[in-house]
Amino acid sequence: QKEVEQDPGPLSVPEGAIVSLNCTYSNSAFQYFMWYRQYSRKGPELLMYTYSSGNKEDGRFTAQVDKSSKYISLFIRDSQPSDSATYLCAMSPSGGSNYKLTFGKGTLLTVNP
Amino acid sequence: NAGVTQTPKFRILKIGQSMTLQCTQDMNHNYMYWYRQDPGMGLKLIYYSVGAGITDKGEVPNGYNVSRSTTEDFPLRLELAAPSQTSVYFCASSPGTSGGGETQYFGPGTRLLVL
């Protein structure tokens, strides 16, 4: 079983839809959870950052972490064509190796106007 | 504040040639990383550094070398290029001081084609 599993999609939705992106993981040591957004031919950029379990909201974006199920989600409300990108989940443990991120393979999202 | 910069943006190499991918950050970050990204495969860590003079192997180090003589620069050296090294290479940096999860900041990438 891979440490981090992420459905690669592609996912295509109409403008205004609610988008749900998900990752599962197997390493119970993961404590820090991130979502990166990567536009075509660009480097990844941090979108959301969450520590341990719970929800975090930033504008149209909500990140959820359920450590009991080893499952994280990113919700995008009122999706826009500018949200079209690849979304990568990433996670790391606490302690001495907290800087080493393990990435999912990414989900390609297209929002159609 | 330019963040993380990488040169070149694109390069074509012949099999057996060597080259150095340059990476510079101006955020005074202690930690730096090199990743490769193949289509549909996510990001794989090649090498990382936790400070000047300290480097260590990541998940896929074979065929690559790194050095870190300054805080700002972290070049990646490809010796004897092979078609399997065709990829997009990303350099990243993180503060290395927070004690918590490290946010990594990525450069724009270098596209490498080995023919």
Side-chain angles (χ1 to χ4, degrees), chain A residues 8 32 34 36 38 40-46 49 86 88 92-96 98-101 103-106, chain B residues 31 33 35 37 40-43 45 48 50 56-57 90 94 98-109 111:
Chain A
Y32 300 95
M34 300 154 209
Y36 281 82
Q38 185 177 21
S40 180
R41 295 183 173 266
K42 301 290 186 183
E45 57 178 347
L46 182 68
Y49 172 101
T86 296
L88 299 144
S92 70
S94 60
N98 64 328
Y99 54 89
K100 286 188 180 179
L101 294 182
F103 286 86
K105 292 184 177 181
Chain B
Y31 294 179
Y33 315 81
Y35 293 90
Q37 186 177 40
M41 297 302 293
L43 290 158
L45 183 64
Y48 66 97
V50 298
D56 207 348
K57 296 177 181 179
F90 290 102
S94 66
S98 68
E102 288 281 307
T103 298
Q104 293 186 15
Y105 299 83
F106 285 81
R111 293 182 173 273

Side-chain angles (χ1 to χ4, degrees), chain A residues 50-87:
Chain A
T50 312
Y51 170 68
S52 195
S53 285
N55 294 357
K56 185 173 183 178
E57 187 174 323
D58 183 2
R60 296 185 295 109
F61 298 89
T62 299
Q64 287 187 352
V65 175
D66 181 350
K67 290 187 67 183
S68 63
S69 301
K70 296 188 176 68
Y71 187 87
I72 69 170
S73 301
L74 177 70
F75 297 96
I76 307 174
R77 292 183 299 280
D78 187 26
S79 57
Q80 302 295 309
S82 58
D83 296 327
S84 298
T86 296
Y87 290 81

Side-chain angles (χ1 to χ4, degrees), chain B residues 67-78:
Chain B
S67 60
R68 183 129 181 245
S69 56
T70 67
T71 300
E72 296 79 20
D73 300 307
F74 191 39
L76 177 71
R77 178 80 177 165
L78 277 72

